[in-house]
Amino acid sequence: GKMAEIKAIKEAFADADKAIISGDLAEARSVRSKLQEMGVSAPLLDGLEVSILKLERKNQLTAWLDSARAAVAAKDWDSAIRYADAALRIDPASDQAKALLMEAKTGKVGVAKTAQAEEATQAKIGEAQHALDWDKPDEAKEILLVILKADPDNLVAGRLLEKANAALKPRPPA
């Protein structure tokens, strides 16, 4: 009768609490459906609804943070920024999301700076080659030494410097 029905409802709410505490969203939703089928009205289900929504948000936040971490690890800065932003929309106070967003933005700036530096070096190497072509080895050497000071392992600049030095050696008189 009525007592058994009340007992079943109480047990269902206890099951719902266990599911929420353990983070089992599917089970919490299943118990909610069972309670609705038992005829439990909306006001009594509000607490469970709120708990389910909070758990969904927590799971979504965790998913976005995990994705942001993976993107940072892969140096996929644009994706990392998108995921961290998504996490911050769910929880604007998330220190983890803020830290990941900073790391991703810093990484992206670093990539841009590296690309700019690479472009500038290529332009300087072009100038040095041009100077050599026009028989100005001293000019070429000056440019190449600047490049090699910043990037000692630059093989192209190293080879051009050898050419410039060879051209600078005094030639025996004819």
Side-chain angles (χ1 to χ4, degrees), residues 21-80:
I21 289 165
S22 69
D24 188 344
L25 198 51
E27 177 62 15
R29 288 179 179 145
S30 162
V31 174
R32 174 184 57 192
S33 297
K34 194 164 83 177
L35 283 163
Q36 286 168 330
E37 287 162 18
M38 293 169 140
V40 176
S41 60
L44 290 174
L45 285 177
D46 283 350
L48 179 55
E49 286 294 337
V50 168
S51 296
I52 287 173
L53 284 171
K54 281 183 180 168
L55 188 55
E56 285 171 345
R57 288 170 66 89
K58 183 176 167 250
N59 288 356
Q60 187 61 64
L61 177 64
T62 300
W64 288 131
L65 289 172
D66 288 346
S67 296
R69 269 188 219 96
V72 164
K75 295 186 177 0
D76 177 358
W77 307 123
D78 289 330
S79 297

Short mmCIF file of all heavy atoms in Angstrom, two decimals, residues 21-80:
data_model
loop_
_atom_site.label_atom_id
_atom_site.label_comp_id
_atom_site.label_asym_id
_atom_site.label_seq_id
_atom_site.Cartn_x
_atom_site.Cartn_y
_atom_site.Cartn_z
N ILE A 21 26.73 11.29 -5.59
CA ILE A 21 27.99 11.33 -4.83
C ILE A 21 29.10 10.59 -5.57
O ILE A 21 30.24 11.05 -5.62
CB ILE A 21 27.78 10.76 -3.40
CG1 ILE A 21 26.95 11.75 -2.58
CG2 ILE A 21 29.12 10.50 -2.72
CD1 ILE A 21 26.38 11.16 -1.31
N SER A 22 28.75 9.46 -6.19
CA SER A 22 29.78 8.68 -6.90
C SER A 22 30.05 9.24 -8.30
O SER A 22 30.93 8.76 -9.00
CB SER A 22 29.36 7.22 -6.98
OG SER A 22 28.25 7.09 -7.85
N GLY A 23 29.26 10.25 -8.71
CA GLY A 23 29.48 10.86 -10.02
C GLY A 23 28.90 10.05 -11.17
O GLY A 23 29.27 10.25 -12.32
N ASP A 24 27.98 9.13 -10.84
CA ASP A 24 27.37 8.28 -11.88
C ASP A 24 26.14 8.97 -12.47
O ASP A 24 25.02 8.78 -11.99
CB ASP A 24 27.02 6.92 -11.28
CG ASP A 24 26.55 5.92 -12.33
OD1 ASP A 24 26.22 6.36 -13.46
OD2 ASP A 24 26.52 4.72 -12.02
N LEU A 25 26.37 9.75 -13.51
CA LEU A 25 25.32 10.55 -14.13
C LEU A 25 24.21 9.68 -14.72
O LEU A 25 23.02 9.96 -14.54
CB LEU A 25 25.95 11.43 -15.21
CG LEU A 25 25.18 12.63 -15.71
CD1 LEU A 25 24.68 13.49 -14.57
CD2 LEU A 25 26.06 13.45 -16.63
N ALA A 26 24.59 8.61 -15.40
CA ALA A 26 23.59 7.73 -16.03
C ALA A 26 22.65 7.14 -14.98
O ALA A 26 21.43 7.11 -15.17
CB ALA A 26 24.29 6.61 -16.80
N GLU A 27 23.22 6.69 -13.86
CA GLU A 27 22.40 6.13 -12.78
C GLU A 27 21.50 7.19 -12.17
O GLU A 27 20.32 6.93 -11.92
CB GLU A 27 23.32 5.51 -11.71
CG GLU A 27 22.59 4.94 -10.50
CD GLU A 27 21.63 3.79 -10.81
OE1 GLU A 27 21.71 3.20 -11.92
OE2 GLU A 27 20.80 3.48 -9.95
N ALA A 28 22.00 8.39 -11.97
CA ALA A 28 21.19 9.48 -11.41
C ALA A 28 20.01 9.78 -12.32
O ALA A 28 18.87 9.96 -11.86
CB ALA A 28 22.05 10.73 -11.21
N ARG A 29 20.26 9.81 -13.64
CA ARG A 29 19.17 10.07 -14.60
C ARG A 29 18.15 8.93 -14.58
O ARG A 29 16.95 9.16 -14.68
CB ARG A 29 19.75 10.22 -16.00
CG ARG A 29 20.49 11.52 -16.20
CD ARG A 29 21.06 11.57 -17.61
NE ARG A 29 21.77 12.81 -17.86
CZ ARG A 29 22.85 12.90 -18.61
NH1 ARG A 29 23.34 11.83 -19.20
NH2 ARG A 29 23.44 14.06 -18.81
N SER A 30 18.65 7.72 -14.47
CA SER A 30 17.78 6.53 -14.44
C SER A 30 16.86 6.57 -13.22
O SER A 30 15.66 6.32 -13.32
CB SER A 30 18.66 5.28 -14.45
OG SER A 30 17.92 4.17 -14.02
N VAL A 31 17.42 6.92 -12.05
CA VAL A 31 16.62 7.01 -10.82
C VAL A 31 15.59 8.14 -10.96
O VAL A 31 14.44 8.00 -10.53
CB VAL A 31 17.51 7.21 -9.58
CG1 VAL A 31 16.67 7.44 -8.33
CG2 VAL A 31 18.43 6.00 -9.38
N ARG A 32 15.99 9.26 -11.56
CA ARG A 32 15.06 10.37 -11.77
C ARG A 32 13.86 9.89 -12.59
O ARG A 32 12.71 10.17 -12.24
CB ARG A 32 15.76 11.53 -12.49
CG ARG A 32 14.79 12.67 -12.86
CD ARG A 32 15.43 13.77 -13.66
NE ARG A 32 16.03 13.26 -14.88
CZ ARG A 32 16.86 13.95 -15.66
NH1 ARG A 32 17.22 15.18 -15.33
NH2 ARG A 32 17.35 13.41 -16.76
N SER A 33 14.13 9.15 -13.67
CA SER A 33 13.03 8.61 -14.50
C SER A 33 12.13 7.69 -13.69
O SER A 33 10.89 7.74 -13.80
CB SER A 33 13.59 7.85 -15.70
OG SER A 33 14.32 8.73 -16.51
N LYS A 34 12.75 6.84 -12.87
CA LYS A 34 11.99 5.89 -12.04
C LYS A 34 11.07 6.67 -11.09
O LYS A 34 9.88 6.33 -10.93
CB LYS A 34 12.96 5.00 -11.25
CG LYS A 34 12.32 3.77 -10.62
CD LYS A 34 13.35 2.73 -10.20
CE LYS A 34 13.92 3.09 -8.84
NZ LYS A 34 14.87 2.09 -8.34
N LEU A 35 11.60 7.73 -10.47
CA LEU A 35 10.80 8.55 -9.55
C LEU A 35 9.64 9.22 -10.28
O LEU A 35 8.53 9.31 -9.75
CB LEU A 35 11.69 9.59 -8.86
CG LEU A 35 12.57 9.06 -7.72
CD1 LEU A 35 13.69 10.03 -7.39
CD2 LEU A 35 11.72 8.75 -6.48
N GLN A 36 9.90 9.69 -11.51
CA GLN A 36 8.83 10.32 -12.29
C GLN A 36 7.74 9.29 -12.59
O GLN A 36 6.55 9.60 -12.48
CB GLN A 36 9.39 10.92 -13.59
CG GLN A 36 10.18 12.19 -13.35
CD GLN A 36 10.98 12.64 -14.57
OE1 GLN A 36 11.41 11.82 -15.38
NE2 GLN A 36 11.21 13.93 -14.67
N GLU A 37 8.16 8.06 -12.96
CA GLU A 37 7.18 6.99 -13.22
C GLU A 37 6.38 6.65 -11.98
O GLU A 37 5.22 6.24 -12.08
CB GLU A 37 7.90 5.73 -13.75
CG GLU A 37 8.39 5.87 -15.18
CD GLU A 37 9.44 4.83 -15.55
OE1 GLU A 37 9.55 3.80 -14.85
OE2 GLU A 37 10.14 5.07 -16.55
N MET A 38 6.99 6.80 -10.77
CA MET A 38 6.29 6.52 -9.52
C MET A 38 5.30 7.63 -9.19
O MET A 38 4.58 7.55 -8.19
CB MET A 38 7.29 6.39 -8.35
CG MET A 38 8.20 5.19 -8.41
SD MET A 38 9.49 5.40 -7.16
CE MET A 38 9.61 3.73 -6.53
N GLY A 39 5.31 8.69 -10.00
CA GLY A 39 4.35 9.78 -9.79
C GLY A 39 4.87 10.86 -8.85
O GLY A 39 4.08 11.67 -8.36
N VAL A 40 6.18 10.89 -8.59
CA VAL A 40 6.75 11.94 -7.74
C VAL A 40 6.70 13.25 -8.52
O VAL A 40 7.11 13.33 -9.67
CB VAL A 40 8.19 11.60 -7.31
CG1 VAL A 40 8.81 12.74 -6.51
CG2 VAL A 40 8.22 10.31 -6.51
N SER A 41 6.16 14.31 -7.89
CA SER A 41 5.93 15.57 -8.60
C SER A 41 7.20 16.44 -8.64
O SER A 41 8.14 16.24 -7.86
CB SER A 41 4.79 16.33 -7.94
OG SER A 41 5.12 16.59 -6.59
N ALA A 42 7.15 17.41 -9.54
CA ALA A 42 8.30 18.28 -9.81
C ALA A 42 8.94 18.91 -8.57
O ALA A 42 10.16 18.84 -8.43
CB ALA A 42 7.92 19.36 -10.81
N PRO A 43 8.17 19.52 -7.64
CA PRO A 43 8.84 20.18 -6.52
C PRO A 43 9.76 19.22 -5.75
O PRO A 43 10.86 19.62 -5.35
CB PRO A 43 7.70 20.65 -5.62
CG PRO A 43 6.52 20.74 -6.52
CD PRO A 43 6.73 19.70 -7.59
N LEU A 44 9.35 17.98 -5.59
CA LEU A 44 10.18 17.01 -4.87
C LEU A 44 11.41 16.61 -5.68
O LEU A 44 12.43 16.22 -5.12
CB LEU A 44 9.38 15.75 -4.52
CG LEU A 44 8.30 15.93 -3.45
CD1 LEU A 44 7.48 14.66 -3.30
CD2 LEU A 44 8.93 16.32 -2.11
N LEU A 45 11.32 16.69 -7.00
CA LEU A 45 12.43 16.31 -7.87
C LEU A 45 13.42 17.45 -8.11
O LEU A 45 14.49 17.23 -8.66
CB LEU A 45 11.91 15.80 -9.21
CG LEU A 45 11.28 14.41 -9.22
CD1 LEU A 45 10.74 14.09 -10.61
CD2 LEU A 45 12.28 13.36 -8.80
N ASP A 46 13.05 18.67 -7.71
CA ASP A 46 13.91 19.83 -8.00
C ASP A 46 15.33 19.66 -7.48
O ASP A 46 16.30 19.94 -8.18
CB ASP A 46 13.31 21.12 -7.42
CG ASP A 46 12.15 21.64 -8.27
OD1 ASP A 46 11.96 21.10 -9.38
OD2 ASP A 46 11.46 22.57 -7.82
N GLY A 47 15.46 19.18 -6.24
CA GLY A 47 16.79 18.99 -5.66
C GLY A 47 17.63 18.03 -6.49
O GLY A 47 18.80 18.27 -6.76
N LEU A 48 16.99 16.93 -6.92
CA LEU A 48 17.68 15.94 -7.75
C LEU A 48 18.05 16.54 -9.10
O LEU A 48 19.16 16.34 -9.60
CB LEU A 48 16.79 14.70 -7.92
CG LEU A 48 17.35 13.56 -8.77
CD1 LEU A 48 18.71 13.11 -8.26
CD2 LEU A 48 16.37 12.40 -8.81
N GLU A 49 17.13 17.32 -9.68
CA GLU A 49 17.41 17.98 -10.97
C GLU A 49 18.64 18.87 -10.85
O GLU A 49 19.53 18.85 -11.70
CB GLU A 49 16.21 18.85 -11.41
CG GLU A 49 15.02 18.07 -11.91
CD GLU A 49 15.30 17.32 -13.20
OE1 GLU A 49 16.23 17.69 -13.95
OE2 GLU A 49 14.59 16.34 -13.44
N VAL A 50 18.69 19.67 -9.78
CA VAL A 50 19.82 20.58 -9.57
C VAL A 50 21.11 19.77 -9.43
O VAL A 50 22.14 20.11 -10.02
CB VAL A 50 19.59 21.48 -8.32
CG1 VAL A 50 20.87 22.20 -7.93
CG2 VAL A 50 18.47 22.48 -8.60
N SER A 51 21.05 18.68 -8.66
CA SER A 51 22.24 17.84 -8.46
C SER A 51 22.71 17.25 -9.79
O SER A 51 23.92 17.18 -10.06
CB SER A 51 21.94 16.72 -7.47
OG SER A 51 21.66 17.27 -6.20
N ILE A 52 21.77 16.80 -10.60
CA ILE A 52 22.12 16.23 -11.91
C ILE A 52 22.76 17.30 -12.80
O ILE A 52 23.79 17.06 -13.44
CB ILE A 52 20.88 15.59 -12.58
CG1 ILE A 52 20.54 14.28 -11.85
CG2 ILE A 52 21.13 15.34 -14.07
CD1 ILE A 52 19.23 13.62 -12.31
N LEU A 53 22.17 18.50 -12.80
CA LEU A 53 22.74 19.59 -13.60
C LEU A 53 24.16 19.94 -13.15
O LEU A 53 25.05 20.14 -13.97
CB LEU A 53 21.86 20.85 -13.52
CG LEU A 53 20.58 20.81 -14.34
CD1 LEU A 53 19.70 22.00 -14.02
CD2 LEU A 53 20.90 20.79 -15.83
N LYS A 54 24.36 19.98 -11.83
CA LYS A 54 25.70 20.29 -11.30
C LYS A 54 26.70 19.22 -11.73
O LYS A 54 27.83 19.52 -12.10
CB LYS A 54 25.66 20.38 -9.77
CG LYS A 54 25.12 21.69 -9.25
CD LYS A 54 25.19 21.73 -7.74
CE LYS A 54 24.64 23.05 -7.20
NZ LYS A 54 24.43 22.98 -5.74
N LEU A 55 26.26 17.97 -11.66
CA LEU A 55 27.15 16.86 -12.05
C LEU A 55 27.46 16.93 -13.54
O LEU A 55 28.61 16.72 -13.95
CB LEU A 55 26.49 15.52 -11.68
CG LEU A 55 27.34 14.27 -11.84
CD1 LEU A 55 28.64 14.38 -11.06
CD2 LEU A 55 26.57 13.04 -11.39
N GLU A 56 26.45 17.26 -14.35
CA GLU A 56 26.68 17.41 -15.80
C GLU A 56 27.71 18.50 -16.06
O GLU A 56 28.62 18.33 -16.87
CB GLU A 56 25.36 17.74 -16.52
CG GLU A 56 24.43 16.57 -16.67
CD GLU A 56 23.05 16.95 -17.17
OE1 GLU A 56 22.68 18.15 -17.15
OE2 GLU A 56 22.33 16.03 -17.60
N ARG A 57 27.56 19.62 -15.35
CA ARG A 57 28.50 20.74 -15.52
C ARG A 57 29.91 20.33 -15.09
O ARG A 57 30.88 20.65 -15.75
CB ARG A 57 28.03 21.96 -14.72
CG ARG A 57 26.82 22.64 -15.30
CD ARG A 57 26.25 23.68 -14.34
NE ARG A 57 27.17 24.79 -14.13
CZ ARG A 57 27.18 25.89 -14.87
NH1 ARG A 57 26.35 26.02 -15.86
NH2 ARG A 57 28.02 26.86 -14.61
N LYS A 58 29.99 19.61 -13.97
CA LYS A 58 31.29 19.16 -13.46
C LYS A 58 31.95 18.23 -14.48
O LYS A 58 33.15 18.37 -14.78
CB LYS A 58 31.10 18.45 -12.12
CG LYS A 58 32.38 18.00 -11.48
CD LYS A 58 32.12 17.39 -10.09
CE LYS A 58 33.35 16.67 -9.61
NZ LYS A 58 33.16 15.21 -9.59
N ASN A 59 31.16 17.30 -15.03
CA ASN A 59 31.70 16.36 -16.03
C ASN A 59 32.14 17.11 -17.28
O ASN A 59 33.19 16.81 -17.86
CB ASN A 59 30.67 15.30 -16.40
CG ASN A 59 30.45 14.29 -15.28
OD1 ASN A 59 31.13 14.34 -14.25
ND2 ASN A 59 29.52 13.39 -15.46
N GLN A 60 31.33 18.09 -17.70
CA GLN A 60 31.67 18.86 -18.90
C GLN A 60 32.94 19.68 -18.65
O GLN A 60 33.81 19.74 -19.50
CB GLN A 60 30.49 19.77 -19.28
CG GLN A 60 30.69 20.48 -20.61
CD GLN A 60 30.84 19.54 -21.78
OE1 GLN A 60 29.93 18.81 -22.12
NE2 GLN A 60 32.01 19.53 -22.40
N LEU A 61 33.02 20.27 -17.46
CA LEU A 61 34.21 21.05 -17.11
C LEU A 61 35.45 20.15 -17.15
O LEU A 61 36.48 20.51 -17.74
CB LEU A 61 34.05 21.66 -15.71
CG LEU A 61 35.25 22.45 -15.18
CD1 LEU A 61 35.53 23.68 -16.03
CD2 LEU A 61 35.03 22.86 -13.73
N THR A 62 35.35 18.98 -16.55
CA THR A 62 36.47 18.03 -16.55
C THR A 62 36.86 17.66 -17.98
O THR A 62 38.05 17.62 -18.32
CB THR A 62 36.08 16.76 -15.75
OG1 THR A 62 35.77 17.15 -14.41
CG2 THR A 62 37.23 15.77 -15.71
N ALA A 63 35.87 17.43 -18.82
CA ALA A 63 36.14 17.07 -20.22
C ALA A 63 36.87 18.21 -20.94
O ALA A 63 37.85 17.97 -21.66
CB ALA A 63 34.83 16.72 -20.94
N TRP A 64 36.38 19.45 -20.76
CA TRP A 64 37.04 20.59 -21.42
C TRP A 64 38.47 20.77 -20.90
O TRP A 64 39.39 21.04 -21.67
CB TRP A 64 36.26 21.89 -21.20
CG TRP A 64 34.97 22.02 -21.95
CD1 TRP A 64 33.77 22.40 -21.44
CD2 TRP A 64 34.73 21.81 -23.36
NE1 TRP A 64 32.80 22.41 -22.42
CE2 TRP A 64 33.37 22.07 -23.60
CE3 TRP A 64 35.55 21.42 -24.43
CZ2 TRP A 64 32.80 21.96 -24.88
CZ3 TRP A 64 34.98 21.30 -25.70
CH2 TRP A 64 33.62 21.57 -25.90
N LEU A 65 38.67 20.62 -19.58
CA LEU A 65 40.01 20.76 -19.01
C LEU A 65 40.95 19.67 -19.54
O LEU A 65 42.10 19.95 -19.88
CB LEU A 65 39.96 20.73 -17.48
CG LEU A 65 39.34 21.95 -16.80
CD1 LEU A 65 39.16 21.70 -15.30
CD2 LEU A 65 40.17 23.20 -17.03
N ASP A 66 40.43 18.43 -19.61
CA ASP A 66 41.25 17.33 -20.14
C ASP A 66 41.64 17.60 -21.59
O ASP A 66 42.79 17.38 -21.99
CB ASP A 66 40.49 15.99 -20.05
CG ASP A 66 40.38 15.49 -18.61
OD1 ASP A 66 41.09 16.01 -17.73
OD2 ASP A 66 39.58 14.56 -18.38
N SER A 67 40.68 18.08 -22.37
CA SER A 67 40.96 18.40 -23.79
C SER A 67 41.96 19.54 -23.89
O SER A 67 42.86 19.50 -24.75
CB SER A 67 39.66 18.78 -24.51
OG SER A 67 38.78 17.69 -24.54
N ALA A 68 41.82 20.54 -23.04
CA ALA A 68 42.75 21.68 -23.06
C ALA A 68 44.17 21.20 -22.70
O ALA A 68 45.14 21.58 -23.35
CB ALA A 68 42.30 22.77 -22.09
N ARG A 69 44.26 20.34 -21.67
CA ARG A 69 45.57 19.80 -21.27
C ARG A 69 46.21 19.03 -22.41
O ARG A 69 47.41 19.17 -22.67
CB ARG A 69 45.43 18.87 -20.05
CG ARG A 69 45.58 19.58 -18.74
CD ARG A 69 45.62 18.61 -17.56
NE ARG A 69 44.87 19.22 -16.48
CZ ARG A 69 43.59 18.97 -16.22
NH1 ARG A 69 42.91 18.09 -16.89
NH2 ARG A 69 42.99 19.61 -15.24
N ALA A 70 45.43 18.20 -23.07
CA ALA A 70 45.95 17.39 -24.18
C ALA A 70 46.42 18.30 -25.33
O ALA A 70 47.47 18.06 -25.92
CB ALA A 70 44.88 16.41 -24.67
N ALA A 71 45.65 19.34 -25.61
CA ALA A 71 46.01 20.26 -26.69
C ALA A 71 47.29 21.03 -26.34
O ALA A 71 48.15 21.23 -27.20
CB ALA A 71 44.86 21.23 -26.98
N VAL A 72 47.44 21.43 -25.08
CA VAL A 72 48.66 22.11 -24.64
C VAL A 72 49.86 21.16 -24.81
O VAL A 72 50.91 21.54 -25.32
CB VAL A 72 48.54 22.61 -23.17
CG1 VAL A 72 49.91 22.95 -22.60
CG2 VAL A 72 47.63 23.83 -23.11
N ALA A 73 49.67 19.91 -24.38
CA ALA A 73 50.76 18.93 -24.49
C ALA A 73 51.17 18.73 -25.95
O ALA A 73 52.34 18.53 -26.25
CB ALA A 73 50.32 17.60 -23.88
N ALA A 74 50.19 18.81 -26.86
CA ALA A 74 50.45 18.63 -28.30
C ALA A 74 50.89 19.94 -28.96
O ALA A 74 51.11 19.99 -30.16
CB ALA A 74 49.20 18.08 -28.98
N LYS A 75 50.97 21.02 -28.16
CA LYS A 75 51.30 22.35 -28.67
C LYS A 75 50.32 22.81 -29.75
O LYS A 75 50.67 23.56 -30.65
CB LYS A 75 52.75 22.40 -29.18
CG LYS A 75 53.78 22.18 -28.08
CD LYS A 75 55.18 22.38 -28.61
CE LYS A 75 56.28 22.27 -27.59
NZ LYS A 75 55.97 21.98 -26.21
N ASP A 76 49.05 22.34 -29.62
CA ASP A 76 47.97 22.80 -30.50
C ASP A 76 47.31 23.98 -29.79
O ASP A 76 46.28 23.83 -29.12
CB ASP A 76 46.98 21.65 -30.74
CG ASP A 76 45.79 22.05 -31.59
OD1 ASP A 76 45.71 23.25 -31.98
OD2 ASP A 76 44.95 21.19 -31.88
N TRP A 77 47.97 25.14 -29.90
CA TRP A 77 47.59 26.29 -29.09
C TRP A 77 46.17 26.77 -29.36
O TRP A 77 45.46 27.12 -28.41
CB TRP A 77 48.60 27.42 -29.28
CG TRP A 77 50.01 27.00 -29.05
CD1 TRP A 77 51.06 27.08 -29.93
CD2 TRP A 77 50.57 26.39 -27.87
NE1 TRP A 77 52.21 26.57 -29.37
CE2 TRP A 77 51.95 26.14 -28.11
CE3 TRP A 77 50.03 26.02 -26.63
CZ2 TRP A 77 52.79 25.57 -27.17
CZ3 TRP A 77 50.87 25.44 -25.69
CH2 TRP A 77 52.23 25.22 -25.96
N ASP A 78 45.74 26.82 -30.62
CA ASP A 78 44.39 27.32 -30.93
C ASP A 78 43.31 26.44 -30.29
O ASP A 78 42.36 26.95 -29.69
CB ASP A 78 44.17 27.41 -32.45
CG ASP A 78 44.98 28.56 -33.06
OD1 ASP A 78 45.20 29.56 -32.35
OD2 ASP A 78 45.38 28.45 -34.23
N SER A 79 43.46 25.13 -30.38
CA SER A 79 42.50 24.21 -29.76
C SER A 79 42.53 24.37 -28.24
O SER A 79 41.48 24.40 -27.60
CB SER A 79 42.79 22.76 -30.13
OG SER A 79 42.62 22.58 -31.52
N ALA A 80 43.73 24.47 -27.68
CA ALA A 80 43.86 24.62 -26.23
C ALA A 80 43.12 25.87 -25.75
O ALA A 80 42.43 25.84 -24.73
CB ALA A 80 45.33 24.68 -25.83
#
